[in-house]
Amino acid sequence: MKQIQFKGRGTEYFKIWIVNVLLCIVTIGIYYPWAKVRTRRYFYANTEYADRYFDYHATGKQLFFGYLIGVLILLAMQVVGSILPFVGIILPVILFAFIPWIIWRSLKFNMRMTSFSNVRFSFIGNLKPAYIIYMLIPVLGYAAAALLAFGSILPMSNIDEGTNAAFAFLVFAVGIIAAIAIGVYSIGLFTKKAAEYQIGQTKFGQGNFLINIHTGKFIKIQLKRVLIIIGGLFLLSILSGLLFASAMSGGFNLNNISSDIEGANSSPLFVVGFLVIYFGFIATFLFATAYSYSRQRQYLFENTTLDNAITFQSTVGARGYFYILLTNMLLVLFTVGLALPWAKVRVARYIADHSWIEASELDINHYLTQKEKEQSALGEEIGDVLDIDVGVAI
C-alpha cells in the first residue's frame, strides 16, 4: 500500500495567492477564473503517487464564461428584485430548479479537466439522477421535517385555550424527535446517493470506479455528529452558568438586576468566560465537522475500488483533522488572513498523507502505462464552460 504525497509549500503558494488576490482587486473580480485555475494547477501538480502527478487542464478563459453567466444572473436578480419585488422572489426559485443541471455539467467538466499520469478522468452520470439526488431528496426530507416540527408546536401554543399541557408536551417531544430522525435520515440518504453518483459514475481512462455503500452507516455518522454537538453545547451551557455565577459571586439583588448585570459584564472573569464559550462553540462545530468528514471518508475509501483491482484507504482521523482545522483558524485569525496559503497547504498535506492506494495484485506502473495508451486513442471533446465545486468526503 502506497501513500499519496503533497509536495507543495506554503511559501510557494503564498506567491501565487498574493498575486491572485491583487489581480482580482485590480480587475474588480474579473481575474477570478484565472486565479482559480492557477490555484488548482498548483495543488494538483504537487500531489504525487508512485512518482506520477495529477494535472488540471482547464483554462481561465473556459471558466470565465461560466463565471460571467453567474455574475450576470446575480446582478439581474438584484436589479429585478429592487424594481419588481414579487418577481425577485420567484427568480431564486427558478434558479434553484437549475441547480442539479449545473452540478451535473460541473461534474462532467471538472472530471474532463482532471488527469493523473496523463490519463483523463471522466464523468458519465445522467441528468435525471442529479435532479432526484440534489433536489427531490433534500426538498422532501426537509419539508417533512419542517412540517413535523411546526405541527408539534401547535398544541403548545393552544395550552391557554384549554389544551392539556401534558398531552401538548408529549406531542411536541414526539414531533421534534420525529423531525430530527427524518432530517438525519434525509442527510444519510442524500450523502449515500451523492457518493454513488459522483464516484460510481466516474471513470479513469477506460477504468471504472465501483462503490458499495449503505445508508445506515451514514445515518450512524450523522447521529453521532448530532450527539457531539448536543453534548458540546450542554457542557458549554453548564460552563457559562458557572462563570456567570462566579462573576455574580458578590450576590444577586432582584431589586437591582440591571446594575448587577452591568457589574458582571465589566468583570474580567466574565470577559474571559465569554471568549472561552465563544471559541468553545466554534470548536464544538469544528470537531463535529471533523468527525463527520473523517468517518465518511474512511467508509467511502474502504468501499471503493478501481477496476476491481485497486483499493483505497483513508486514515484521516477526527482528532487530527480537528487539530488542523482549529490551528488553521487561529493562524488565519491572528494574521488577518495572510496565513491562508499555509492553512490550505497544511490541509492538502494532511489529507494526502492520510490517503493510501493498494495495488498489490498488479504492477501499478504497468497499469498506468496501459491507461496512457488507451487514453491516447480515445480523444477528448471539451466544450463545457460551467465550473462549480461539488464533492463528497474525498
Side-chain angles (χ1 to χ4, degrees):
M1 183 163 285
K2 289 187 178 181
Q3 180 187 48
I4 296 175
Q5 293 184 329
F6 181 75
K7 298 186 175 181
R9 294 185 299 171
T11 50
E12 290 178 344
Y13 178 52
F14 177 80
K15 297 174 184 177
I16 296 172
W17 176 80
I18 195 66
V19 171
N20 286 344
V21 170
L22 293 175
L23 287 175
C24 284
I25 293 172
V26 171
T27 61
I28 323 175
I30 294 175
Y31 186 74
Y32 175 75
W34 285 268
K36 192 171 186 177
V37 166
R38 292 187 68 202
T39 297
R40 284 189 176 178
R41 284 182 178 174
Y42 177 79
F43 280 90
Y44 280 41
N46 282 282
T47 303
E48 175 264 334
Y49 172 74
D51 295 322
R52 297 168 185 255
Y53 294 84
F54 288 85
D55 200 1
Y56 186 66
H57 303 275
T59 64
K61 182 180 179 181
Q62 287 174 305
L63 269 62
F64 176 73
F65 292 109
Y67 174 72
L68 182 61
I69 291 171
V71 171
L72 291 176
I73 289 174
L74 291 176
L75 288 176
M77 289 174 60
Q78 291 292 328
V79 173
V80 173
S82 61
I83 298 174
L84 300 170
F86 178 74
V87 178
I89 296 174
I90 297 176
L91 284 178
V93 177
I94 297 174
L95 179 62
F96 178 72
F98 284 94
I99 287 178
W101 180 83
I102 294 172
I103 292 173
W104 173 65
R105 298 299 292 182
S106 180
L107 286 169
K108 295 180 75 68
F109 177 80
N110 281 322
M111 286 298 102
R112 281 182 176 178
M113 296 299 108
T114 302
S115 70
F116 174 68
S117 185
N118 294 320
V119 179
R120 295 283 185 110
F121 290 83
S122 61
F123 181 75
I124 59 173
N126 296 320
L127 179 59
K128 183 179 178 180
Y131 271 92
I132 295 173
I133 295 167
Y134 298 106
M135 178 171 288
L136 187 63
I137 292 176
V139 168
L140 291 181
Y142 288 113
L147 286 173
L148 277 171
F150 179 74
S152 66
I153 296 173
L154 291 178
M156 297 289 290
S157 63
N158 294 326
I159 290 178
D160 294 337
E161 299 177 7
T163 302
N164 184 277
F167 174 76
F169 180 77
L170 178 62
V171 172
F172 174 76
V174 172
I176 293 299
I177 292 172
I180 293 174
I182 288 178
V184 170
Y185 177 79
S186 299
I187 294 173
L189 180 63
F190 169 80
T191 307
K192 186 245 188 185
K193 292 294 185 181
E196 287 179 334
Y197 184 63
Q198 294 179 33
I199 299 174
Q201 299 298 316
T202 295
K203 295 173 69 71
F204 176 62
Q206 295 300 297
N208 296 299
F209 285 94
L210 303 175
I211 184 168
N212 181 25
I213 53 178
H214 304 282
T215 305
K217 180 66 174 180
F218 295 105
I219 292 175
K220 291 178 182 178
I221 293 172
Q222 291 304 318
L223 281 173
K224 290 181 180 179
R225 179 174 179 266
V226 170
L227 291 175
I228 289 171
I229 294 173
I230 293 174
L233 295 180
F234 178 73
L235 292 176
L236 286 173
S237 65
I238 294 175
L239 179 60
S240 63
L242 293 174
L243 289 171
F244 185 76
S246 299
M248 299 296 297
S249 58
F252 190 82
N253 187 355
L254 291 175
N255 297 322
N256 199 15
I257 293 177
S258 60
S259 62
D260 285 343
I261 294 176
E262 288 177 3
N265 289 343
S266 62
S267 170
L269 182 61
F270 183 86
V271 175
V272 172
F274 174 80
L275 292 175
V276 169
I277 293 168
Y278 176 76
F279 284 104
F281 183 83
I282 295 174
T284 296
F285 280 89
L286 277 181
F287 183 76
T289 300
Y291 173 83
S292 176
Y293 174 82
S294 62
R295 294 299 185 270
Q296 286 183 178
R297 192 175 195 270
Q298 290 171 13
Y299 182 61
L300 290 173
F301 272 51
E302 289 170 0
N303 292 278
T304 299
T305 61
L306 175 59
D307 281 346
N308 284 320
I310 298 175
T311 59
F312 307 87
Q313 182 181 357
S314 170
T315 56
V316 171
R319 285 179 292 182
Y321 190 51
F322 168 70
Y323 173 77
I324 293 292
L325 293 179
L326 183 63
T327 51
N328 277 354
M329 182 189 72
L330 295 175
L331 279 172
V332 173
L333 180 65
F334 289 113
T335 59
V336 200
L338 291 176
L340 187 61
W342 283 270
K344 287 187 175 183
V345 166
R346 290 182 74 217
V347 170
R349 181 174 292 116
Y350 178 80
I351 295 297
D353 288 348
H354 291 81
S355 301
W356 303 78
I357 299 176
E358 174 64 49
S360 58
E361 297 182 4
L362 52 78
D363 182 346
I364 189 64
N365 287 313
H366 174 74
Y367 175 84
L368 292 173
T369 301
Q370 181 62 32
K371 290 299 177 186
E372 288 177 8
K373 292 179 180 178
E374 293 174 0
Q375 179 71 51
S376 62
L378 180 64
E380 291 289 336
E381 293 182 3
I382 301 168
D384 298 319
V385 297
L386 292 171
D387 172 61
I388 59 173
D389 292 318
V390 181
V392 289
I394 55 177

